[in-house]
CSV table of all heavy atoms in Angstrom, one decimal:
chain,number,residue,atom,x,y,z
Q,107,MET,N,79.0,53.4,99.7
Q,107,MET,CA,79.6,53.4,100.9
Q,107,MET,C,79.5,54.7,101.6
Q,107,MET,O,79.5,55.8,101.1
Q,107,MET,CB,81.0,53.0,100.7
Q,107,MET,CG,81.9,52.8,101.9
Q,107,MET,SD,81.5,51.3,102.7
Q,107,MET,CE,82.6,51.4,104.1
Q,108,LEU,N,79.3,54.6,102.9
Q,108,LEU,CA,79.2,55.8,103.7
Q,108,LEU,C,80.7,56.5,103.8
Q,108,LEU,O,81.7,55.9,103.7
Q,108,LEU,CB,78.9,55.5,105.2
Q,108,LEU,CG,77.6,55.0,105.5
Q,108,LEU,CD1,77.4,54.7,107.0
Q,108,LEU,CD2,76.4,56.0,105.1
Q,109,SER,N,80.6,57.8,103.9
Q,109,SER,CA,81.8,58.6,104.1
Q,109,SER,C,82.5,58.0,105.5
Q,109,SER,O,81.9,57.7,106.3
Q,109,SER,CB,81.6,60.0,104.1
Q,109,SER,OG,81.0,60.4,105.3
Q,110,ASP,N,83.7,58.5,105.6
Q,110,ASP,CA,84.4,58.0,106.9
Q,110,ASP,C,83.8,58.6,108.1
Q,110,ASP,O,83.6,58.1,109.1
Q,110,ASP,CB,85.9,58.4,106.8
Q,110,ASP,CG,86.7,57.5,105.9
Q,110,ASP,OD1,86.2,56.4,105.5
Q,110,ASP,OD2,87.9,58.0,105.6
Q,111,LEU,N,83.4,59.9,107.9
Q,111,LEU,CA,82.8,60.6,109.0
Q,111,LEU,C,81.4,60.0,109.4
Q,111,LEU,O,81.1,59.8,110.6
Q,111,LEU,CB,82.5,62.1,108.7
Q,111,LEU,CG,81.9,63.0,109.7
Q,111,LEU,CD1,82.7,63.0,111.0
Q,111,LEU,CD2,81.7,64.4,109.3
Q,112,LEU,N,80.5,59.7,108.4
Q,112,LEU,CA,79.2,59.1,108.7
Q,112,LEU,C,79.4,57.7,109.3
Q,112,LEU,O,78.7,57.3,110.2
Q,112,LEU,CB,78.4,59.0,107.5
Q,112,LEU,CG,77.9,60.3,106.9
Q,112,LEU,CD1,77.2,60.1,105.6
Q,112,LEU,CD2,77.1,61.0,107.9
Q,113,MET,N,80.5,56.9,108.8
Q,113,MET,CA,80.7,55.6,109.4
Q,113,MET,C,81.2,55.7,110.8
Q,113,MET,O,80.7,55.0,111.7
Q,113,MET,CB,81.7,54.9,108.5
Q,113,MET,CG,82.0,53.5,109.0
Q,113,MET,SD,80.8,52.3,108.8
Q,113,MET,CE,81.0,51.8,107.2
Q,114,TRP,N,82.1,56.6,111.1
Q,114,TRP,CA,82.5,56.9,112.4
Q,114,TRP,C,81.4,57.2,113.4
Q,114,TRP,O,81.3,56.7,114.5
Q,114,TRP,CB,83.5,58.1,112.4
Q,114,TRP,CG,84.2,58.4,113.8
Q,114,TRP,CD1,85.2,57.6,114.4
Q,114,TRP,CD2,83.8,59.4,114.5
Q,114,TRP,NE1,85.5,58.2,115.5
Q,114,TRP,CE2,84.7,59.4,115.7
Q,114,TRP,CE3,83.0,60.4,114.4
Q,114,TRP,CZ2,84.7,60.3,116.7
Q,114,TRP,CZ3,83.0,61.4,115.5
Q,114,TRP,CH2,83.7,61.3,116.7
Q,115,ASN,N,80.4,58.1,112.9
Q,115,ASN,CA,79.2,58.4,113.8
Q,115,ASN,C,78.4,57.2,113.9
Q,115,ASN,O,77.8,57.0,115.0
Q,115,ASN,CB,78.5,59.6,113.1
Q,115,ASN,CG,79.1,60.9,113.3
Q,115,ASN,OD1,79.8,61.2,114.3
Q,115,ASN,ND2,79.0,61.8,112.2
Q,116,LYS,N,78.2,56.5,113.0
Q,116,LYS,CA,77.3,55.3,113.0
Q,116,LYS,C,77.8,54.3,114.0
Q,116,LYS,O,77.2,53.7,114.9
Q,116,LYS,CB,77.1,54.6,111.6
Q,116,LYS,CG,76.1,53.5,111.7
Q,116,LYS,CD,75.7,53.1,110.3
Q,116,LYS,CE,74.6,52.2,110.3
Q,116,LYS,NZ,73.3,52.7,110.6
Q,117,ILE,N,79.1,54.1,113.9
Q,117,ILE,CA,79.8,53.1,114.9
Q,117,ILE,C,79.8,53.8,116.3
Q,117,ILE,O,79.5,52.9,117.2
Q,117,ILE,CB,81.3,52.9,114.5
Q,117,ILE,CG1,81.4,52.1,113.2
Q,117,ILE,CG2,82.2,52.3,115.6
Q,117,ILE,CD1,82.8,52.1,112.6
Q,118,GLY,N,79.8,55.0,116.5
Q,118,GLY,CA,79.7,55.6,117.8
Q,118,GLY,C,78.3,55.3,118.4
Q,118,GLY,O,78.1,55.0,119.7
Q,119,ARG,N,77.3,55.4,117.6
Q,119,ARG,CA,76.0,55.1,118.1
Q,119,ARG,C,75.8,53.7,118.3
Q,119,ARG,O,75.1,53.3,119.4
Q,119,ARG,CB,74.9,55.6,117.0
Q,119,ARG,CG,74.8,57.1,116.8
Q,119,ARG,CD,73.8,57.5,115.9
Q,119,ARG,NE,73.7,56.9,114.7
Q,119,ARG,CZ,74.2,57.4,113.5
Q,119,ARG,NH1,75.0,58.5,113.5
Q,119,ARG,NH2,74.1,56.7,112.4
Q,120,ILE,N,76.3,52.8,117.5
Q,120,ILE,CA,76.1,51.4,117.7
Q,120,ILE,C,76.9,51.0,119.1
Q,120,ILE,O,76.4,50.3,119.9
Q,120,ILE,CB,76.7,50.6,116.6
Q,120,ILE,CG1,75.9,50.8,115.4
Q,120,ILE,CG2,76.9,49.0,117.0
Q,120,ILE,CD1,76.6,50.3,114.1
Q,121,VAL,N,78.1,51.6,119.3
Q,121,VAL,CA,78.8,51.3,120.5
Q,121,VAL,C,78.1,51.8,121.8
Q,121,VAL,O,78.0,51.0,122.8
Q,121,VAL,CB,80.2,51.8,120.5
Q,121,VAL,CG1,80.9,51.9,121.8
Q,121,VAL,CG2,81.1,51.1,119.4
Q,122,THR,N,77.4,52.9,121.7
Q,122,THR,CA,76.6,53.4,122.9
Q,122,THR,C,75.4,52.5,123.1
Q,122,THR,O,75.1,52.2,124.3
Q,122,THR,CB,76.1,54.8,122.5
Q,122,THR,OG1,77.2,55.7,122.3
Q,122,THR,CG2,75.2,55.4,123.5
Q,123,LEU,N,74.8,52.0,122.1
Q,123,LEU,CA,73.7,51.0,122.2
Q,123,LEU,C,74.2,49.7,122.9
Q,123,LEU,O,73.6,49.2,123.8
Q,123,LEU,CB,73.1,50.7,120.9
Q,123,LEU,CG,72.1,51.7,120.3
Q,123,LEU,CD1,71.8,51.3,118.8
Q,123,LEU,CD2,70.9,51.9,121.1
Q,124,LEU,N,75.4,49.1,122.5
Q,124,LEU,CA,75.9,48.0,123.1
Q,124,LEU,C,76.3,48.3,124.6
Q,124,LEU,O,75.9,47.4,125.3
Q,124,LEU,CB,77.2,47.6,122.4
Q,124,LEU,CG,77.1,47.0,120.8
Q,124,LEU,CD1,78.4,46.9,120.2
Q,124,LEU,CD2,76.4,45.6,121.0
Q,125,SER,N,76.9,49.4,124.8
Q,125,SER,CA,77.1,49.7,126.2
Q,125,SER,C,76.0,49.8,127.0
Q,125,SER,O,76.0,49.2,128.2
Q,125,SER,CB,77.9,51.1,126.3
Q,125,SER,OG,78.1,51.5,127.6
Q,126,ASP,N,74.9,50.4,126.6
Q,126,ASP,CA,73.6,50.5,127.3
Q,126,ASP,C,73.0,49.2,127.6
Q,126,ASP,O,72.6,48.8,128.6
Q,126,ASP,CB,72.7,51.4,126.7
Q,126,ASP,CG,73.2,52.9,126.7
Q,126,ASP,OD1,74.0,53.3,127.6
Q,126,ASP,OD2,72.6,53.7,126.0
Q,127,ARG,N,72.9,48.3,126.4
Q,127,ARG,CA,72.1,47.1,126.5
Q,127,ARG,C,73.0,46.0,127.3
Q,127,ARG,O,72.3,45.2,127.9
Q,127,ARG,CB,71.8,46.7,125.1
Q,127,ARG,CG,70.7,47.5,124.5
Q,127,ARG,CD,70.4,47.0,123.2
Q,127,ARG,NE,69.5,48.0,122.5
Q,127,ARG,CZ,69.0,47.9,121.3
Q,127,ARG,NH1,69.4,46.8,120.6
Q,127,ARG,NH2,68.2,48.7,120.8
Q,128,LEU,N,74.2,46.0,127.2
Q,128,LEU,CA,75.0,45.1,127.9
Q,128,LEU,C,75.6,45.5,129.3
Q,128,LEU,O,76.1,44.7,130.0
Q,128,LEU,CB,76.2,44.6,127.1
Q,128,LEU,CG,75.9,43.9,125.7
Q,128,LEU,CD1,77.2,43.8,124.9
Q,128,LEU,CD2,75.1,42.6,126.0
Q,129,ASN,N,75.2,46.8,129.6
Q,129,ASN,CA,75.6,47.4,130.8
Q,129,ASN,C,77.1,47.2,131.1
Q,129,ASN,O,77.6,46.7,132.1
Q,129,ASN,CB,74.8,46.8,132.0
Q,129,ASN,CG,74.9,47.6,133.3
Q,129,ASN,OD1,75.2,48.8,133.2
Q,129,ASN,ND2,74.8,46.9,134.5
Q,130,ILE,N,77.9,47.7,130.1
Q,130,ILE,CA,79.4,47.7,130.1
Q,130,ILE,C,79.8,49.1,129.8
Q,130,ILE,O,79.1,49.9,129.3
Q,130,ILE,CB,80.0,46.5,129.1
Q,130,ILE,CG1,79.4,46.8,127.6
Q,130,ILE,CG2,79.4,45.1,129.5
Q,130,ILE,CD1,79.9,45.9,126.6
Q,131,THR,N,81.2,49.1,130.0
Q,131,THR,CA,81.7,50.5,129.6
Q,131,THR,C,81.8,50.7,128.1
Q,131,THR,O,81.8,49.7,127.4
Q,131,THR,CB,83.2,50.6,130.1
Q,131,THR,OG1,84.0,49.5,129.5
Q,131,THR,CG2,83.2,50.3,131.7
Q,132,SER,N,81.9,51.9,127.7
Q,132,SER,CA,82.0,52.2,126.3
Q,132,SER,C,83.3,51.6,125.7
Q,132,SER,O,83.2,51.1,124.5
Q,132,SER,CB,82.0,53.8,126.1
Q,132,SER,OG,80.9,54.3,126.6
Q,133,GLU,N,84.3,51.6,126.5
Q,133,GLU,CA,85.6,51.0,126.0
Q,133,GLU,C,85.4,49.5,125.8
Q,133,GLU,O,85.8,49.0,124.7
Q,133,GLU,CB,86.7,51.2,126.9
Q,133,GLU,CG,87.1,52.7,127.2
Q,133,GLU,CD,86.3,53.4,128.1
Q,133,GLU,OE1,85.3,52.9,128.8
Q,133,GLU,OE2,86.4,54.7,128.1
Q,134,ARG,N,84.8,48.8,126.7
Q,134,ARG,CA,84.6,47.4,126.5
Q,134,ARG,C,83.6,47.2,125.2
Q,134,ARG,O,83.8,46.2,124.4
Q,134,ARG,CB,83.9,46.8,127.7
Q,134,ARG,CG,83.6,45.3,127.6
Q,134,ARG,CD,84.8,44.4,127.5
Q,134,ARG,NE,84.5,43.1,127.3
Q,134,ARG,CZ,84.9,42.1,126.5
Q,134,ARG,NH1,85.9,42.5,125.6
Q,134,ARG,NH2,84.5,41.0,126.4
Q,135,ALA,N,82.5,48.0,125.1
Q,135,ALA,CA,81.6,47.9,124.0
Q,135,ALA,C,82.4,48.2,122.5
Q,135,ALA,O,82.2,47.5,121.6
Q,135,ALA,CB,80.5,48.8,124.0
Q,136,LEU,N,83.3,49.1,122.6
Q,136,LEU,CA,84.1,49.4,121.4
Q,136,LEU,C,84.9,48.2,121.1
Q,136,LEU,O,85.0,47.8,119.8
Q,136,LEU,CB,85.0,50.7,121.7
Q,136,LEU,CG,85.6,51.3,120.4
Q,136,LEU,CD1,84.6,51.8,119.4
Q,136,LEU,CD2,86.6,52.4,121.0
Q,137,ASP,N,85.5,47.6,122.0
Q,137,ASP,CA,86.4,46.4,121.8
Q,137,ASP,C,85.6,45.3,121.3
Q,137,ASP,O,85.9,44.7,120.3
Q,137,ASP,CB,87.0,46.0,123.2
Q,137,ASP,CG,87.9,44.7,122.9
Q,137,ASP,OD1,88.9,44.8,122.0
Q,137,ASP,OD2,87.7,43.8,123.6
Q,138,LEU,N,84.3,45.0,121.9
Q,138,LEU,CA,83.4,43.9,121.3
Q,138,LEU,C,83.0,44.2,119.9
Q,138,LEU,O,83.0,43.3,119.2
Q,138,LEU,CB,82.2,43.8,122.2
Q,138,LEU,CG,82.4,43.3,123.6
Q,138,LEU,CD1,81.0,43.3,124.4
Q,138,LEU,CD2,82.9,41.7,123.6
Q,139,PHE,N,82.8,45.5,119.7
Q,139,PHE,CA,82.3,45.8,118.3
Q,139,PHE,C,83.4,45.6,117.3
Q,139,PHE,O,83.3,44.8,116.3
Q,139,PHE,CB,81.7,47.2,118.1
Q,139,PHE,CG,81.4,47.6,116.8
Q,139,PHE,CD1,80.2,47.0,116.2
Q,139,PHE,CD2,82.2,48.3,116.0
Q,139,PHE,CE1,79.8,47.4,114.9
Q,139,PHE,CE2,81.9,48.6,114.7
Q,139,PHE,CZ,80.6,48.1,114.1
Q,140,TYR,N,84.7,46.1,117.5
Q,140,TYR,CA,85.6,46.1,116.6
Q,140,TYR,C,86.2,44.7,116.4
Q,140,TYR,O,86.9,44.4,115.4
Q,140,TYR,CB,86.8,47.0,116.9
Q,140,TYR,CG,86.5,48.5,116.3
Q,140,TYR,CD1,86.3,49.5,117.1
Q,140,TYR,CD2,86.5,48.6,115.0
Q,140,TYR,CE1,86.0,50.7,116.6
Q,140,TYR,CE2,86.3,49.8,114.3
Q,140,TYR,CZ,86.0,50.9,115.1
Q,140,TYR,OH,85.8,52.1,114.7
Q,141,THR,N,86.1,43.7,117.3
Q,141,THR,CA,86.4,42.4,117.2
Q,141,THR,C,85.3,41.4,116.6
Q,141,THR,O,85.5,40.2,116.6
Q,141,THR,CB,87.1,41.7,118.5
Q,141,THR,OG1,86.0,41.9,119.5
Q,141,THR,CG2,88.3,42.6,119.0
Q,142,SER,N,84.2,42.0,116.3
Q,142,SER,CA,83.1,41.2,115.8
Q,142,SER,C,83.1,41.0,114.4
Q,142,SER,O,83.8,41.8,113.6
Q,142,SER,CB,81.7,41.9,116.2
Q,142,SER,OG,81.5,43.1,115.4
Q,143,ARG,N,82.4,39.9,114.0
Q,143,ARG,CA,82.2,39.6,112.6
Q,143,ARG,C,81.3,40.7,112.0
Q,143,ARG,O,81.5,41.1,110.8
Q,143,ARG,CB,81.5,38.3,112.5
Q,143,ARG,CG,81.2,37.8,111.1
Q,143,ARG,CD,80.2,36.6,111.0
Q,143,ARG,NE,79.0,36.8,111.8
Q,143,ARG,CZ,77.9,37.3,111.2
Q,143,ARG,NH1,77.8,37.8,110.0
Q,143,ARG,NH2,76.9,37.4,112.0
Q,144,THR,N,80.5,41.2,112.6
Q,144,THR,CA,79.5,42.2,112.2
Q,144,THR,C,80.4,43.5,111.8
Q,144,THR,O,80.1,44.1,110.7
Q,144,THR,CB,78.5,42.6,113.3
Q,144,THR,OG1,77.8,41.5,113.6
Q,144,THR,CG2,77.6,43.8,112.7
Q,145,CYS,N,81.4,43.8,112.5
Q,145,CYS,CA,82.2,45.0,112.2
Q,145,CYS,C,82.9,44.8,110.9
Q,145,CYS,O,82.9,45.7,110.0
Q,145,CYS,CB,83.2,45.3,113.3
Q,145,CYS,SG,84.3,46.7,113.0
Q,146,LYS,N,83.4,43.5,110.8
Q,146,LYS,CA,84.1,43.3,109.5
Q,146,LYS,C,83.1,43.3,108.3
Q,146,LYS,O,83.5,43.8,107.3
Q,146,LYS,CB,84.7,41.8,109.5
Q,146,LYS,CG,85.5,41.4,108.3
Q,146,LYS,CD,86.1,40.0,108.5
Q,146,LYS,CE,87.3,40.1,109.2
Q,146,LYS,NZ,88.2,38.9,109.2
Q,147,LEU,N,81.9,42.8,108.5
Q,147,LEU,CA,81.1,42.9,107.4
Q,147,LEU,C,80.6,44.3,107.1
Q,147,LEU,O,80.3,44.8,106.0
Q,147,LEU,CB,79.7,42.0,107.8
Q,147,LEU,CG,80.0,40.5,107.8
Q,147,LEU,CD1,78.7,39.8,108.3
Q,147,LEU,CD2,80.3,39.9,106.5
Q,148,MET,N,80.5,45.1,108.2
Q,148,MET,CA,80.0,46.5,108.1
Q,148,MET,C,81.1,47.3,107.2
Q,148,MET,O,80.6,48.2,106.5
Q,148,MET,CB,79.9,47.2,109.4
Q,148,MET,CG,79.1,48.4,109.4
Q,148,MET,SD,78.6,48.9,111.0
Q,148,MET,CE,78.7,50.7,110.9
Q,149,HIS,N,82.3,47.0,107.3
Q,149,HIS,CA,83.4,47.7,106.5
Q,149,HIS,C,83.5,47.0,105.1
Q,149,HIS,O,84.3,47.6,104.3
Q,149,HIS,CB,84.6,47.6,107.2
Q,149,HIS,CG,84.7,48.6,108.4
Q,149,HIS,ND1,84.2,48.2,109.6
Q,149,HIS,CD2,85.1,50.0,108.5
Q,149,HIS,CE1,84.4,49.3,110.5
Q,149,HIS,NE2,84.9,50.4,109.7
Q,150,ASP,N,82.8,46.1,104.8
Q,150,ASP,CA,82.7,45.5,103.4
Q,150,ASP,C,81.7,46.1,102.6
Q,150,ASP,O,80.5,45.8,102.8
Q,150,ASP,CB,82.6,43.9,103.4
Q,150,ASP,CG,82.5,43.3,102.1
Q,150,ASP,OD1,82.7,44.0,101.1
Q,150,ASP,OD2,82.5,42.0,102.0
Q,151,PRO,N,81.9,46.9,101.7
Q,151,PRO,CA,80.8,47.5,100.9
Q,151,PRO,C,79.8,46.7,100.3
Q,151,PRO,O,78.6,47.0,100.1
Q,151,PRO,CB,81.6,48.6,99.9
Q,151,PRO,CG,83.0,48.6,100.4
Q,151,PRO,CD,83.2,47.3,101.2
Q,152,SER,N,80.2,45.5,99.8
Q,152,SER,CA,79.4,44.6,99.1
Q,152,SER,C,78.2,44.0,100.0
Q,152,SER,O,77.2,43.7,99.5
Q,152,SER,CB,80.1,43.5,98.5
Q,152,SER,OG,80.6,42.7,99.5
Q,153,THR,N,78.4,44.2,101.3
Q,153,THR,CA,77.3,43.6,102.3
Q,153,THR,C,76.3,44.6,102.4
Q,153,THR,O,75.2,44.3,102.8
Q,153,THR,CB,77.9,43.1,103.5
Q,153,THR,OG1,78.4,44.2,104.3
Q,153,THR,CG2,79.0,42.1,103.4
Q,154,GLN,N,76.6,45.9,102.3
Q,154,GLN,CA,75.7,47.0,102.6
Q,154,GLN,C,75.0,46.9,104.0
Q,154,GLN,O,74.0,47.5,104.2
Q,154,GLN,CB,74.7,47.2,101.5
Q,154,GLN,CG,75.3,47.5,100.2
Q,154,GLN,CD,74.3,47.9,99.2
Q,154,GLN,OE1,73.1,47.7,99.3
Q,154,GLN,NE2,74.8,48.4,98.1
Q,155,ILE,N,75.7,46.3,105.0
Q,155,ILE,CA,75.2,46.2,106.3
Q,155,ILE,C,75.1,47.7,106.9
Q,155,ILE,O,74.3,48.0,107.8
Q,155,ILE,CB,76.0,45.3,107.2
Q,155,ILE,CG1,75.7,43.9,106.9
Q,155,ILE,CG2,75.9,45.6,108.7
Q,155,ILE,CD1,76.2,42.9,107.7
Q,156,TYR,N,75.9,48.6,106.5
Q,156,TYR,CA,75.9,49.9,107.0
Q,156,TYR,C,74.7,50.7,106.7
Q,156,TYR,O,74.3,51.6,107.3
Q,156,TYR,CB,77.1,50.8,106.4
Q,156,TYR,CG,77.1,50.9,105.0
Q,156,TYR,CD1,76.3,51.8,104.2
Q,156,TYR,CD2,77.9,49.9,104.2
Q,156,TYR,CE1,76.4,51.8,102.9
Q,156,TYR,CE2,77.9,50.0,102.8
Q,156,TYR,CZ,77.1,50.9,102.2
Q,156,TYR,OH,77.1,51.0,100.8
Q,157,THR,N,73.7,50.2,105.9
Q,157,THR,CA,72.5,50.7,105.5
Q,157,THR,C,71.4,50.2,106.5
Q,157,THR,O,70.3,50.8,106.6
Q,157,THR,CB,72.0,50.3,104.1
Q,157,THR,OG1,71.8,48.9,104.1
Q,157,THR,CG2,73.0,50.7,103.1
Q,158,PHE,N,71.7,49.2,107.4
Q,158,PHE,CA,70.7,48.7,108.5
Q,158,PHE,C,70.8,49.7,109.6
Q,158,PHE,O,71.6,50.4,109.9
Q,158,PHE,CB,71.2,47.4,108.9
Q,158,PHE,CG,71.1,46.2,107.9
Q,158,PHE,CD1,70.9,46.5,106.5
Q,158,PHE,CD2,71.2,44.9,108.3
Q,158,PHE,CE1,70.8,45.5,105.5
Q,158,PHE,CE2,71.2,44.0,107.3
Q,158,PHE,CZ,71.0,44.2,106.0
Q,159,SER,N,69.6,49.6,110.4
Q,159,SER,CA,69.6,50.6,111.5
Q,159,SER,C,70.7,50.2,112.6
Q,159,SER,O,71.1,49.1,112.7
Q,159,SER,CB,68.2,50.4,112.2
Q,159,SER,OG,68.1,49.1,112.9
Q,160,ASP,N,71.0,51.3,113.4
Q,160,ASP,CA,72.0,51.2,114.4
Q,160,ASP,C,71.6,50.0,115.5
Q,160,ASP,O,72.4,49.2,115.8
Q,160,ASP,CB,72.2,52.4,115.2
Q,160,ASP,CG,72.6,53.6,114.4
Q,160,ASP,OD1,73.1,53.3,113.3
Q,160,ASP,OD2,72.4,54.7,114.7
Q,161,ALA,N,70.3,49.9,115.8
Q,161,ALA,CA,69.7,48.9,116.7
Q,161,ALA,C,69.9,47.5,116.2
Q,161,ALA,O,70.2,46.6,116.9
Q,161,ALA,CB,68.2,49.3,117.0
Q,162,TYR,N,69.5,47.3,114.8
Q,162,TYR,CA,69.7,46.1,114.2
Q,162,TYR,C,71.1,45.5,114.3
Q,162,TYR,O,71.4,44.5,114.6
Q,162,TYR,CB,69.2,46.0,112.8
Q,162,TYR,CG,69.4,44.7,112.0
Q,162,TYR,CD1,68.4,43.8,112.2
Q,162,TYR,CD2,70.5,44.3,111.4
Q,162,TYR,CE1,68.5,42.5,111.7
Q,162,TYR,CE2,70.7,43.1,110.9
Q,162,TYR,CZ,69.6,42.2,110.9
Q,162,TYR,OH,69.9,40.9,110.4
Q,163,ILE,N,72.1,46.5,113.9
Q,163,ILE,CA,73.5,46.1,113.9
Q,163,ILE,C,74.0,45.7,115.4
Q,163,ILE,O,74.6,44.7,115.6
Q,163,ILE,CB,74.4,47.2,113.3
Q,163,ILE,CG1,73.9,47.4,111.9
Q,163,ILE,CG2,75.8,47.0,113.5
Q,163,ILE,CD1,74.5,48.6,111.2
Q,164,ALA,N,73.5,46.5,116.4
Q,164,ALA,CA,73.9,46.3,117.8
Q,164,ALA,C,73.4,44.9,118.2
Q,164,ALA,O,74.1,44.1,118.8
Q,164,ALA,CB,73.4,47.3,118.7
Q,165,GLU,N,72.2,44.6,117.8
Q,165,GLU,CA,71.5,43.3,118.2
Q,165,GLU,C,72.4,42.1,117.4
Q,165,GLU,O,72.5,41.0,118.0
Q,165,GLU,CB,70.1,43.3,117.8
Q,165,GLU,CG,69.2,44.0,118.7
Q,165,GLU,CD,69.2,43.6,120.2
Q,165,GLU,OE1,69.3,42.3,120.4
Q,165,GLU,OE2,69.3,44.4,121.0
Q,166,ASP,N,72.8,42.4,116.2
Q,166,ASP,CA,73.6,41.4,115.5
Q,166,ASP,C,74.9,41.2,116.3
Q,166,ASP,O,75.3,39.9,116.5
Q,166,ASP,CB,73.9,41.9,114.1
Q,166,ASP,CG,74.4,40.7,113.3
Q,166,ASP,OD1,73.7,39.7,113.3
Q,166,ASP,OD2,75.3,41.0,112.4
Q,167,VAL,N,75.5,42.1,116.8
Q,167,VAL,CA,76.7,41.9,117.6
Q,167,VAL,C,76.4,41.1,118.9
Q,167,VAL,O,77.0,40.1,119.3
Q,167,VAL,CB,77.4,43.3,118.0
Q,167,VAL,CG1,78.5,43.0,118.9
Q,167,VAL,CG2,77.9,44.0,116.7
Q,168,ILE,N,75.4,41.4,119.5
Q,168,ILE,CA,74.9,40.8,120.8
Q,168,ILE,C,74.6,39.3,120.5
Q,168,ILE,O,74.9,38.4,121.2
Q,168,ILE,CB,73.7,41.4,121.3
Q,168,ILE,CG1,74.1,42.8,122.0
Q,168,ILE,CG2,73.1,40.5,122.5
Q,168,ILE,CD1,73.0,43.8,122.4
Q,169,ARG,N,73.9,39.0,119.3
Q,169,ARG,CA,73.6,37.7,119.0
Q,169,ARG,C,75.0,36.9,118.7
Q,169,ARG,O,75.0,35.7,119.0
Q,169,ARG,CB,72.8,37.6,117.7
Q,169,ARG,CG,71.3,37.9,117.8
Q,169,ARG,CD,70.5,37.5,116.6
Q,169,ARG,NE,70.9,38.4,115.5
Q,169,ARG,CZ,70.3,39.5,115.3
Q,169,ARG,NH1,69.4,40.0,116.1
Q,169,ARG,NH2,70.6,40.3,114.2
Q,170,GLU,N,75.9,37.6,118.2
Q,170,GLU,CA,77.3,36.9,118.0
Q,170,GLU,C,77.9,36.4,119.4
Q,170,GLU,O,78.5,35.5,119.4
Q,170,GLU,CB,78.3,37.9,117.3
Q,170,GLU,CG,78.2,38.0,116.0
Q,170,GLU,CD,79.4,39.0,115.3
Q,170,GLU,OE1,80.6,38.6,115.6
Q,170,GLU,OE2,79.0,39.9,114.8
Q,171,LEU,N,77.7,37.2,120.4
Q,171,LEU,CA,78.2,37.0,121.6
Q,171,LEU,C,77.5,35.8,122.4
Q,171,LEU,O,78.1,35.3,123.3
Q,171,LEU,CB,78.1,38.2,122.6
Q,171,LEU,CG,79.0,39.4,122.2
Q,171,LEU,CD1,78.5,40.7,122.9
Q,171,LEU,CD2,80.4,39.1,122.1
Q,172,GLN,N,76.4,35.3,122.0
Q,172,GLN,CA,75.6,34.4,122.6
Q,172,GLN,C,76.1,32.9,122.1
Q,172,GLN,O,76.6,32.8,121.2
Q,172,GLN,CB,74.0,34.6,122.4
Q,172,GLN,CG,73.6,35.8,123.1
Q,172,GLN,CD,72.2,36.1,122.8
Q,172,GLN,OE1,71.7,35.5,121.9
Q,172,GLN,NE2,71.4,36.9,123.6
C-alpha cells in the first residue's frame, strides 16, 4: 500500500486530470473523485488500483460518470 503522503499526491494528480478533462473546478473534481467507486477501490489495498497510472484512474472515474 502507498504511504499516506504518496496516496495524497496521487489523488491530487488524478483530481487535476479530472478537472482538466471535464473542464470543471478542482473542488468539483475532488467531489466527483471522492464519491466514486474508483476512489473506494483505490483505498482497498487488495485491488492494487493505486498501482495504475493516474491517467487510467482518471479515465475510470470518467467512465463511471457516463
Side-chain angles (χ1 to χ4, degrees):
M107 180 77 184
L108 289 178
S109 72
D110 289 341
L111 180 60
L112 291 176
M113 182 68 87
W114 182 78
N115 285 329
K116 186 165 190 71
I117 290 169
R119 292 189 307 269
I120 293 165
V121 167
T122 299
L123 286 170
L124 288 171
S125 176
D126 291 345
R127 291 184 183 175
L128 298 174
N129 196 27
I130 58 177
T131 66
S132 297
E133 291 81 7
R134 178 70 179 133
L136 190 63
D137 181 56
L138 288 175
F139 177 74
Y140 273 113
T141 58
S142 71
R143 175 190 59 84
T144 302
C145 179
K146 182 179 276 190
L147 291 173
M148 194 168 145
H149 285 88
D150 179 355
S152 68
T153 66
Q154 295 190 352
I155 282 184
Y156 58 86
T157 63
F158 295 10
S159 74
D160 300 341
Y162 178 89
I163 295 170
E165 287 300 319
D166 197 42
V167 173
I168 292 169
R169 280 191 297 271
E170 277 186 61
L171 297 171
Q172 295 174 342

